[in-house]
Amino acid sequence: MAYEGPRLPAARGRLSGAVREYLLGSGPLPPVEAVADAPAYGDDLQLALYLCYELHYRGFAGVSHDREWDPDLLRVRAALEHRFLTALRADTPVHDTVDDALAELLVEPVEHTGLSHFLCDEGELWQLREYAAQRSLYHLKEADPHAWVLPRLWGRAKAAMAAVEFDEYGGGRPDRVHARLFADLMTDLDLDTAYGRYLDAACAETLATVNLMSLLGLHRSLRGALVGHFAAVEITSSPGSRRLAEAMRRADAGPAAVHFYDEHVEADAVHEQVVRHEVIAGLLEEEPHLAPDIAFGIAVTGLLEDRLAARLLTAWRAGRSSLRTPLPAEMAHVS
């Protein structure tokens, strides 16, 4: 039987409900005017946008492939994107130069209050499971959104970006593809490895982090921002992964769970140098006018990651689940 994609998630409001019904052929799209009043970071808008974007990845069971380029759906998607991007530009700190934006990432915060610090120092197994369920929306398609930038680069930047992506895809070995390694991590944590399985459970802040990658990847005009995003991910990955590997060891999560983060400690330390000195430098050499976009991509990544961290830490410190719907009973934390 041919792969049909994951099932559509439940709606979270008027916008996502209408998009969902339209995808199934059982209702009209929401009016474009309705998007302007929706909270830009809210569950409804973020899920509606996620549904639109997922058509460019694996799609959904029961949804026609033709919906990917449906002109009416694309008009609604454009309105959702505009609402989201406008909010991001208003809320993201502006840096004078790319170096200024990068400088903030290259220094570890003294206070050690971030999400990976919490999980390393005091995270429990149920919190690690929730973290993996939330992150699975990206990690089961790791590197795919960034691959869209390759046709929009050339020369030195393109060659270096392709080299990093080749590593992300396992260097030609299917068992080394990072998405496969994350599925192995989920198995160790007794989580369902099916693609899109935890979409219903993921919070709006998680959806926003994944939607940002798709937004930047699908628009050639935002190629500089996507490179900035990728740089932010690679620069912060190695130290964060070291802490997460320690958290998995401390919780006795399993060898595959530890290996996923150990792999990123080593690989992303190398990737950081390539992205900074070859991808970014190569892009600026060819298109220096993209410097503000690269800086924006770096800063907006931090903005959304901070929002997600605040959501998860607030819930966990109160002894509550960070998920919208609980994990199956045998995996769930009982307050």
Side-chain angles (χ1 to χ4, degrees), residues 99-119:
D99 286 342
D100 288 343
L102 287 170
E104 293 190 6
L105 302 180
L106 295 171
V107 178
E108 282 274 274
V110 176
E111 61 272 18
H112 293 174
T113 57
L115 191 55
S116 64
H117 286 285
F118 173 87
L119 289 171

Side-chain angles (χ1 to χ4, degrees), residues 129-152:
R129 286 173 170 150
E130 288 197 357
Y131 181 75
Q134 299 265 18
R135 289 296 196 185
S136 68
L137 268 63
Y138 168 63
H139 280 305
L140 290 180
K141 61 184 173 211
E142 185 171 339
D144 290 350
H146 300 113
W148 276 319
V149 82
L150 287 172
R152 287 127 188 208

Side-chain angles (χ1 to χ4, degrees), residues 123-304:
E124 299 178 23
L125 187 58
W126 68 271
Q127 293 162 333
L128 293 172
R129 286 173 170 150
E130 288 197 357
Y131 181 75
Q134 299 265 18
R135 289 296 196 185
S136 68
L137 268 63
Y138 168 63
H139 280 305
L140 290 180
K141 61 184 173 211
E142 185 171 339
D144 290 350
H146 300 113
W148 276 319
V149 82
L150 287 172
R152 287 127 188 208
L153 303 176
W154 59 90
R156 179 178 162 199
K158 184 170 193 156
M161 188 73 186
V164 175
E165 286 284 274
F166 183 64
D167 284 349
E168 300 283 351
Y169 291 130
R173 294 176 54 187
D175 60 312
R176 302 288 297 169
V177 172
H178 285 189
R180 175 68 260 171
L181 297 180
F182 193 80
D184 294 340
L185 170 149
M186 295 178 74
T187 297
D188 267 2
L189 292 175
D190 197 20
L191 294 171
D192 191 335
T193 63
Y195 182 88
R197 166 65 177 80
Y198 295 105
L199 178 52
D200 270 319
C203 61
E205 290 82 358
T206 292
L207 299 185
T209 64
V210 184
N211 283 339
L212 174 66
M213 296 181 230
S214 300
L215 169 66
L216 301 181
L218 284 166
H219 292 271
R220 187 174 64 83
S221 62
L222 296 173
R223 63 194 179 280
L226 185 64
V227 166
H229 177 280
F230 194 56
V233 170
E234 296 299 320
I235 289 170
T236 58
S237 175
S238 187
S241 292
R242 184 176 292 108
R243 290 187 286 271
L244 290 169
E246 179 56 33
M248 294 293 177
R249 286 190 186 92
R250 186 172 53 79
D252 196 22
V258 173
H259 176 67
F260 177 81
Y261 289 111
D262 276 344
E263 171 74 12
H264 281 71
V265 171
E266 183 175 341
D268 290 344
V270 175
H271 293 172
E272 172 202 336
Q273 297 298 315
V274 175
V275 173
R276 285 173 57 203
H277 300 299
E278 297 299 326
V279 180
I280 289 180
L283 181 58
L284 288 175
E285 189 176 81
E286 296 283 353
E287 300 186 274
H289 63 280
L290 291 181
D293 290 345
I294 296 172
F296 169 71
I298 294 168
V300 74
T301 303
L303 172 77
L304 292 187

